[in-house]
Every structure is written in structure tokens, then in C-alpha cells.
Amino acid sequence: PATRAPSPVTVRVCFLSPSDGGDRKGSRAEGRTGGGKEETINMAEQPKRETISEKEFRAEEAERKIRFDAILARIKGGESEEVDFSTCSVGPDRARVIAEVLMKDAKVTKLDLYDNQIGDEGLKTLASMVASNATLRVINLKWNGLGKLNEVGGPDNDSGVEAFAAALKINKTVEQINLEWNQIWEDGRKSLAALRSKTRYINCDDGLPNSGYSVF
């Protein structure tokens, strides 16, 4: 059966005038308002208050944005060879910003994007940068929501990983890639396995028991 939406909660509030302050006890006992003002307030129409967790989340996101902008500024200023964007809420949109900056950079050798949920779209954006970058040597993409599952739990596609692998074929400097804790399936793993060499190390351990895949 259909559930009925709860009715708005309404309360009646009596505002006593200053002259009634000394007679509150007697007024309450006799059921009088003491000449004060009475209003009806619909609580459903009152502004929603943020919970402590919501406030903390907003504060953390603001802090991450400040850290992201600061790191980006250091790259643009040519001040960093190793950049750490870990847990910066990068996502696909900020991944695009990073790619655009690193396309013009000639100094950064290590890019750490641990725990940023850039997803396949973000990885495709980074792939276009990797194909032309000539300084990066280490890229950490651990725990970034790469690879997908379809509704029944089987492999969907590895388009982001395949695009990244294609870029690595062109790139001549990247030596180490960490892709741990991502759901990379057979097609993506085959693309990465084809890049194995004595000078290139790719870690693709998803941390799942009996997955059959670990380190290339």
C-alpha cells in the first residue's frame, strides 16, 4: 500500500511581554498568556540545519581544494619534481586540469593520485597527457575507481585502462605504474601485460581474494 507523507509539525509558541516576566508561574497555572503574543509556526518550513558530519565534510572538501590549488601552482611555477595529489578529491574534472598543466610541464617526474576516484573518464584524460609527456617516470593510480561492473557483476569495459595502455606504448619515460585496488578486467589487463619489459613495472593487484591476478 502507498505510504502517506507525514503531516507538517506545527507548534504554538507564546511570547510573554517583559511586564509578564514575574507572573509566568501564575499565568501557566491559570492557562493565561499573560497578555503576550501567540504565534503558530510550521516546523516543516524552517530552514534545514547542517549536521556536524555535513559541516565536517564541507570543511574537508574546502581544505582539499586549497591543497589541490597549491600543488597546481607549484607545478606551474616549476617548483616540484614530485607532486602528491593523494586524497585531494580530484575526480574526472580536476584530472583534466592536471593533464592540461602537465602537458606543458618539463619537470615533474612523479605523479601521485592515490584515492581520488578519477574513474575511466579521468584516466582517458590523463592518457592524452601521458602520450606526449617526456618527464614522468612514476604514476600512482591506486584506488581510483577504474574499470566497471555491469548489473550482474561481470566485466563491463576497460576503456579507460586500454586508452592509458595505448598512451604508454607511445610514452618513453614512464617506468612504474601502480594500479592497485581498481576493478580492471581481462581486456585492460591484457593491454597492460603487453607493456611488460625489464624497465617497466606495473602493479595491478586489485586486492581481491582468488582474483588470479597480482603483479605483472
Side-chain angles (χ1 to χ4, degrees), residues 137-140 173-178 199-203:
R137 299 180 65 182
V138 178
I139 304 174
N140 184 9
T173 60
V174 175
E175 300 172 351
Q176 183 175 337
I177 308 102
N178 189 349
T199 59
R200 183 164 280 174
Y201 172 81
I202 303 174
N203 187 348

Side-chain angles (χ1 to χ4, degrees), residues 126-144:
L126 291 176
S128 62
M129 175 272 295
V130 168
S132 60
N133 184 281
T135 57
L136 276 173
R137 299 180 65 182
V138 178
I139 304 174
N140 184 9
L141 292 165
K142 182 177 180 179
W143 205 356
N144 265 286

Side-chain angles (χ1 to χ4, degrees), residues 98-207:
I98 293 173
E100 291 172 354
V101 171
L102 290 181
M103 276 186 176
K104 304 172 185 177
D105 177 77
K107 191 168 184 178
V108 175
T109 60
K110 180 179 179 180
L111 174 62
D112 191 344
L113 288 166
Y114 166 76
D115 187 16
N116 273 297
Q117 299 304 305
I118 65 171
D120 290 300
E121 293 307 310
L123 187 58
K124 289 177 185 177
T125 302
L126 291 176
S128 62
M129 175 272 295
V130 168
S132 60
N133 184 281
T135 57
L136 276 173
R137 299 180 65 182
V138 178
I139 304 174
N140 184 9
L141 292 165
K142 182 177 180 179
W143 205 356
N144 265 286
L146 308 178
K148 298 179 180 178
L149 296 174
N150 63 25
E151 292 181 356
V152 295
D156 186 350
N157 71 74
D158 283 323
S159 59
V161 175
E162 289 177 303
F164 189 67
L168 287 172
K169 286 183 180 180
I170 301 171
N171 180 281
K172 303 298 181 183
T173 60
V174 175
E175 300 172 351
Q176 183 175 337
I177 308 102
N178 189 349
L179 289 161
E180 290 180 288
W181 290 97
N182 291 292
Q183 292 176 332
I184 300 172
W185 296 90
E186 187 172 358
D187 290 342
R189 291 177 184 274
K190 286 181 179 178
S191 299
L192 293 170
L195 300 171
R196 283 183 298 181
S197 70
K198 293 181 181 179
T199 59
R200 183 164 280 174
Y201 172 81
I202 303 174
N203 187 348
C204 200
D205 184 3
D206 56 17

Side-chain angles (χ1 to χ4, degrees), residues 52-63:
I52 294 177
S53 59
E54 287 173 337
K55 289 182 179 179
E56 289 175 344
F57 175 78
R58 291 177 184 274
E60 287 177 0
E61 286 300 296
E63 182 180 340

